[in-house]
Amino acid sequence: MTAEPTHTPSKGQDGTPSPLLVGTAPDSWGVWFPEDPKQTPWHRFLDEVVEAGYHYVELGPFGYLPTDPSRLNEELGSRGLEVSAGTVFTGFHRTDPEEREAVWRQVHEVAELTAAVGGDHIVVIPAMWRDDVTGEAVENEHLTPTQWETLFAGHNELGRVLQEKYGLRQQFHSHADSHVCSHEQITRFLEGTDPDLVTLCLDTGHAEYGGASSAEIIRKYPERVEYLHLKQIDPAVIEVVRRENLTWAAANRAGVMVEPPAGLPDLAEIIDELEKLNRSFFCIVEQDMYPVSSFDIPLPIATRTRRYLCGCGSRTRIR
């Protein structure tokens, strides 16, 4: 067991030995939207996060948890919880002025709240070319060269604003049914963006979904990985997804994300690769399961997953 870290993970990524910090997120309780009757109520989510043994938590979709900083700090503090990151959704390859304005409005409100409650990171999820609920195609599956350049510029600007205005780090999250999903697309994105402004929230499940190797990404681009979502996919379900070109919406309903250690990739291997880098990371358990058929389902899974992850590697721990 290592000593208690004296700094936050983002400030400790300088070669200082420190543990991997395992947390969780509303997604693991079936939460995708600010409000939805199919979702676990926010107060139950926070209570069960504590019951499952976690100390770190993401804010999830803006508006799910209280957005008043004083109240949110009170709710978190009374449960001994700390915030790892907020989340924003972007579409920087698009040029519609109204959509851009809406994205930036969201960025500022989420960043302000995240900074106010002690978070260090913003997880950035790109727009999907197929609707995440209906699966309907809303645009072309592939970006043009011009759209790629617009995407790069938008994320460089976002990283600069987050750092200079809020003291936060941008953690880009590749995603199923988005334009940055496959290994080739992730590589193109990394090589087209500024490493000082754009690093990865490496989601092991979504990377595997797109055919990318998380372990290879960590080995090849160690300086571009600063934050992780740990999850696995069911190899049998993903085979059907690829064969039948299922949408992300359909894949999720079919149970493509599975409780560790039943799926891929091997999370023990991922943790081994992280520990070789000798710096700290937030490793957030985020198992997509919207909608849950019962509010009683998430807690046992979250508890077992935490226990499993804490048994991997030599330095993984929960505060």
Side-chain angles (χ1 to χ4, degrees):
M1 185 74 71
T2 60
E4 182 70 20
T6 58
H7 44 59
T8 62
S10 61
K11 293 171 184 166
Q13 295 191 9
D14 56 2
T16 303
S18 53
L20 306 180
L21 304 174
V22 180
T24 191
D27 199 6
S28 292
W29 268 256
V31 175
W32 278 12
F33 307 102
E35 294 183 32
D36 190 311
K38 299 176 183 177
Q39 297 179 166
T40 304
W42 67 266
H43 49 85
R44 176 170 178 166
F45 160 68
L46 292 180
D47 289 341
E48 292 189 348
V49 165
V50 176
E51 188 175 347
Y54 295 94
H55 179 73
Y56 301 100
V57 66
E58 286 186 1
L59 296 180
F62 185 78
Y64 173 64
L65 294 178
T67 57
D68 175 75
S70 297
R71 185 183 181 196
L72 183 53
N73 271 318
E74 181 180 350
E75 296 287 352
L76 295 168
S78 68
R79 295 171 171 87
L81 295 174
E82 295 183 37
V83 170
S84 61
T87 302
V88 299
F89 299 84
T90 59
F92 284 129
H93 64 287
R94 300 169 180 165
T95 57
D96 177 74
E98 290 187 4
E99 183 173 355
R100 286 231 160 193
E101 182 180 350
V103 167
W104 279 105
R105 186 164 55 247
Q106 174 205 188
V107 165
H108 289 297
E109 62 186 7
V110 172
E112 184 175 348
L113 178 62
T114 302
V117 296
D120 288 317
H121 306 277
I122 294 291
V123 174
V124 182
I125 299 178
M128 288 176 272
W129 63 272
R130 291 196 287 205
D131 186 271
D132 61 346
V133 176
T134 67
E136 179 185 0
V138 296
E139 60 185 319
N140 195 292
E141 179 180 0
H142 302 288
L143 298 180
T144 66
T146 299
Q147 286 176 313
W148 274 106
E149 292 302 319
T150 303
L151 181 73
F152 300 153
H155 283 282
N156 286 339
E157 182 184 6
L158 174 61
R160 185 175 295 107
V161 169
L162 289 176
Q163 288 185 33
E164 294 179 355
K165 187 174 178 64
Y166 300 103
L168 300 171
R169 298 285 293 171
Q170 174 183 196
Q171 307 299 346
F172 180 85
H173 181 308
S174 66
H175 201 285
D177 277 2
S178 80
H179 297 100
V180 185
C181 178
S182 69
H183 196 95
E184 178 184 5
Q185 291 165 340
I186 294 171
T187 298
R188 184 171 184 174
F189 179 82
L190 289 175
E191 295 181 351
T193 51
D194 187 332
D196 292 330
L197 302 173
V198 186
T199 44
L200 290 182
C201 167
L202 179 57
D203 185 299
T204 60
H206 281 273
E208 191 78 20
Y209 189 102
S213 166
S214 294
E216 184 177 338
I217 290 171
I218 294 169
R219 287 192 291 266
K220 186 173 181 180
Y221 299 100
E223 75 288 352
R224 302 301 296 274
V225 178
E226 284 192 355
Y227 192 101
L228 290 97
H229 281 172
L230 297 181
K231 62 165 69 90
Q232 292 184 321
I233 61 170
D234 186 320
V237 176
I238 195 63
E239 182 180 343
V240 175
V241 169
R242 291 168 179 162
R243 183 174 65 247
E244 300 182 10
N245 189 28
L246 295 184
T247 67
W248 163 241
N252 193 61
R253 288 192 296 271
V256 70
M257 295 298 175
V258 67
E259 179 182 344
L264 297 172
D266 180 357
L267 296 182
E269 178 188 10
I270 302 303
I271 288 173
D272 285 345
E273 291 297 333
L274 293 176
E275 290 189 335
K276 291 175 185 177
L277 301 181
N278 203 34
R279 63 183 205 257
S280 57
F281 298 86
F282 276 120
C283 296
I284 303 300
V285 176
E286 196 210 36
Q287 183 175 338
D288 300 309
M289 58 172 70
Y290 175 87
V292 292
S293 58
S294 167
F295 292 161
D296 294 328
I297 291 175
L299 176 59
I301 295 174
T303 303
R304 289 191 298 265
T305 301
R306 171 190 171 276
R307 190 176 298 124
Y308 165 71
L309 291 174
C310 288
C312 296
S314 61
R315 295 187 288 116
T316 309
R317 63 165 294 177
I318 302 289
R319 264 192 58 201

